[in-house]
Amino acid sequence: MGKITGFMDYSRRDVSEREPAQRVRDWEEFHLPLAEEAREEQGARCMNCGVPFCQAGIEWEDAPFGCPLHNLIPEWNDMIMSGNWSHALARLLKTNNFPEFTGRVCPAPCERACLCHLYEDAVTIRDNELCIIEKGFELGKVKPRYAPHRSGQKVAVVGSGPAGLAAADQLNHRGHSVTVIEREDRPGGLLTYGIPNMKLPKEIIRRRIDLMTEEGVTFVTGSDASDPKIAKRLLKEYDAVVLCCGAEEPRPLGIDVQGMSGVCYAGDYLKASIQRQQFGLEPELPTAAGRDVVIIGTGDTASDCVATALRQGCKSVIQLVRRKREDYLDRAGNLPFGYAQEEALAIFGQDPRRFAVQIKELVRDEGGALTAAVTTDGDTLPCQLLIAATGAAGCREDVCRAFGVEADSTVRTEERSYQTSVEKVFAAGDMRRGQSLVVWAIAEGRAAAAQVDRFLSGYTNLK
């Protein structure tokens, strides 16, 4: 701890943002980095606690508490304060394969556990993390790391989301030959197709994929492992298979929408938007342009849908939240605004959220097109596009059947194990854990890689 009084001398300073009314006109990142001197002051705010709960990585009060990757946060905060960016980068990469992802999209359970947060504002841990990795790329410090030798063992990783990428990265550095199988046309899974560009630019994902390819990982896209023939070939040709297919099955809406157009799930809506906006495709799912949009749900995915609808030029947007407003107040009794709510306020002059209300029924025209939504408050909201951000019910059954693994809503494994019911087949991420955070998916991928390495080599030095 280089500055003992840092947490008293400096106040928390978050990164600035482009004005909401201006940034909704494009799909670019809207956070603006701090000057280096200001970032060093933010690093100096770390108290270097005797017991740093920011590294805990546990579930507490039904919420993540501390970093699931057990990032060495006080160490690299101290390195930021002293301007030792190379050492900070080395300590960060020791526990986190992809800080450029978590530094952008993680809800920062580490900051919730920060002791500074007990009395004042938490340390800007997530922003500090992002600054380290981007500084590393800027200075040319992030370079390919090649395995010193190859084991001769082959591993297939099915799914290229954060869990699959983490497992592949770890196993490749251990010397195994890793092939990542991806159903979509581009690797990245949820990172590519589920998170809008203004939160996670696709060139950031491409940069990491290119680095992993240079290091020896092979990516095969457009190959759906739910096909029994493909699954059979993978089981035959590879010494181990790691299933990291996520939790893609949406939780049912609970309303009869059969034969009705204008209703979709959040995952499908965001994917279609990204395909259209980033890759020049024309998916069947319509945009929000010129439509009255109603979004069911809260959390990051619902917010991303709000922000996406605004950028597509929606006529109006309402976000229905099941729980009451009081459940979301901060310690000062204020209702926090996320980036999407700020944008909606700037465009339409009001918070898009309505609390303690749900959909009672939907109204359609003679052709089956959605026209309105009736709420439990008795209001009839004009609505031509209803987006259900209701969470995930579990993993895809077809992949589990193809590989013969036991599953219910998730793949079954022994407690603290990633081994499935089928020999040499492992599972990690949301497919095993259930819907969770990107940082938990990376932690799962790393842990699964260690178990696979032990299975293949008889021991492991992976952490």
Side-chain angles (χ1 to χ4, degrees):
M1 186 176 181
K3 188 170 181 59
I4 297 175
T5 60
F7 64 95
M8 296 186 291
D9 295 340
Y10 306 120
S11 299
R12 177 182 172 108
R13 184 175 173 187
D14 293 301
V15 295
S16 58
E17 299 177 348
R18 296 161 57 202
E19 288 297 322
Q22 186 269 336
R23 70 192 189 219
V24 295
R25 300 174 183 173
D26 58 53
W27 299 85
E28 303 304 315
E29 268 192 296
F30 54 86
H31 293 108
L32 305 175
L34 291 180
E36 188 168 314
E37 181 180 353
R39 181 56 61 201
E40 291 175 0
E41 290 181 354
Q42 294 306 298
R45 293 189 69 237
C46 183
M47 300 168 67
N48 194 21
C49 311
V51 181
F53 292 109
C54 58
Q55 302 177 177
I58 60 174
E59 296 281 347
W60 185 58
E61 293 183 347
D62 298 324
F65 185 79
C67 179
L69 291 168
H70 310 298
N71 280 336
L72 306 173
I73 294 167
E75 296 186 32
W76 43 255
N77 273 330
D78 186 57
M79 293 299 101
I80 289 176
M81 188 214 66
S82 62
N84 190 342
W85 296 99
S86 294
H87 196 180
L89 179 65
R91 302 309 286 166
L92 176 58
L93 291 177
K94 189 175 181 66
T95 56
N96 189 348
N97 302 69
F98 314 120
E100 67 270 35
F101 303 157
T102 54
R104 287 178 166 88
V105 303
C106 183
C110 52
E111 295 185 17
R112 181 170 178 257
C114 176
L115 286 187
C116 277
H117 187 53
L118 287 176
Y119 304 103
E120 296 183 355
D121 294 324
V123 174
T124 56
I125 299 172
R126 182 181 63 184
D127 290 345
N128 291 357
E129 174 183 296
L130 181 58
C131 184
I132 293 171
I133 186 63
E134 290 301 332
K135 193 79 170 179
F137 276 108
E138 176 188 335
L139 298 176
K141 299 292 185 180
V142 182
K143 300 177 180 179
R145 295 180 295 139
Y146 303 104
H149 70 277
R150 287 292 171 183
S151 67
Q153 307 268 31
K154 296 168 59 180
V155 181
V157 176
V158 181
S160 62
L165 292 179
D169 197 44
Q170 291 289 93
L171 290 166
N172 178 61
H173 288 146
R174 188 71 173 95
H176 305 300
S177 297
V178 181
T179 300
V180 179
I181 311 297
E182 171 57 48
R183 178 185 58 180
E184 301 293 345
D185 294 336
R186 292 170 174 81
L190 169 74
L191 303 170
T192 296
Y193 290 99
I195 302 177
N197 196 72
M198 61 276 190
K199 284 183 64 176
L200 181 57
K202 304 314 163 193
E203 60 265 25
I204 298 298
I205 304 168
R206 185 74 255 175
R207 181 179 65 182
R208 177 58 67 172
I209 298 296
D210 289 344
L211 181 62
M212 292 178 64
T213 301
E214 173 65 23
E215 293 173 337
V217 177
T218 299
F219 289 89
V220 177
T221 57
S223 180
D224 191 346
S226 66
D227 183 339
K229 294 181 180 178
I230 294 178
K232 184 178 180 180
R233 179 173 60 81
L234 294 178
L235 290 170
K236 179 180 178 181
E237 296 180 2
Y238 289 85
D239 300 294
V241 176
V242 188
L243 302 179
C244 302
C245 302
E248 294 187 334
E249 290 298 321
R251 186 174 290 116
L253 186 56
I255 303 174
D256 181 18
V257 296
Q258 187 173 2
M260 183 184 300
S261 62
V263 180
C264 63
Y265 286 102
D268 297 330
Y269 172 68
L270 293 174
K271 179 181 177 180
S273 172
I274 292 167
Q275 288 176 320
R276 181 179 287 109
Q277 187 267 324
Q278 285 292 310
F279 307 136
L281 303 177
E282 284 299 329
E284 294 182 3
L285 201 66
T287 74
R291 289 178 166 86
D292 297 294
V293 180
V294 174
I295 297 166
I296 302 174
T298 186
D300 291 340
T301 300
S303 292
D304 290 345
C305 290
V306 171
T308 297
L310 291 170
R311 283 164 174 77
Q312 290 180 342
C314 63
K315 184 178 179 181
S316 68
V317 61
I318 297 293
Q319 182 181 354
L320 302 182
V321 181
R322 177 177 55 84
R323 292 164 58 188
K324 59 184 183 296
R325 183 178 183 274
E326 288 71 25
D327 291 344
Y328 297 92
L329 302 182
D330 61 19
R331 290 186 298 183
N334 299 316
L335 178 65
F337 273 61
Y339 84 102
Q341 287 74 40
E342 290 177 344
E343 293 171 354
L345 178 63
I347 300 303
F348 296 118
Q350 62 182 11
D351 186 343
R353 293 171 291 186
R354 291 186 54 179
F355 296 92
V357 62
Q358 299 181 64
I359 293 290
K360 182 179 180 180
E361 62 177 310
L362 300 176
V363 181
R364 68 182 86 186
D365 63 18
E366 294 180 356
L370 177 66
T371 60
V374 181
T375 73
T376 51
D377 283 347
D379 297 337
T380 299
L381 305 175
C383 177
Q384 299 86 50
L385 181 60
L386 179 71
I387 304 171
T390 49
C395 61
R396 290 172 54 194
E397 295 180 358
D398 53 0
V399 176
C400 298
R401 284 197 302 267
F403 286 90
V405 299
E406 295 180 359
D408 35 48
S409 61
T410 58
V411 175
R412 295 177 187 169
T413 62
E414 295 292 332
E415 187 177 0
R416 297 181 180 274
S417 172
Y418 301 84
Q419 171 73 58
T420 71
S421 57
V422 177
E423 186 182 8
K424 82 175 186 180
V425 178
F426 300 78
D430 290 2
M431 191 173 192
R432 188 196 79 97
R433 177 184 175 85
Q435 185 181 28
S436 191
L437 307 176
V438 167
V439 67
W440 269 114
I442 296 173
E444 287 257 322
R446 288 172 62 92
Q451 190 168 351
V452 172
D453 183 41
R454 185 177 292 110
F455 170 79
L456 296 174
S457 307
Y459 75 101
T460 186
N461 58 10
L462 296 176
K463 302 296 183 183

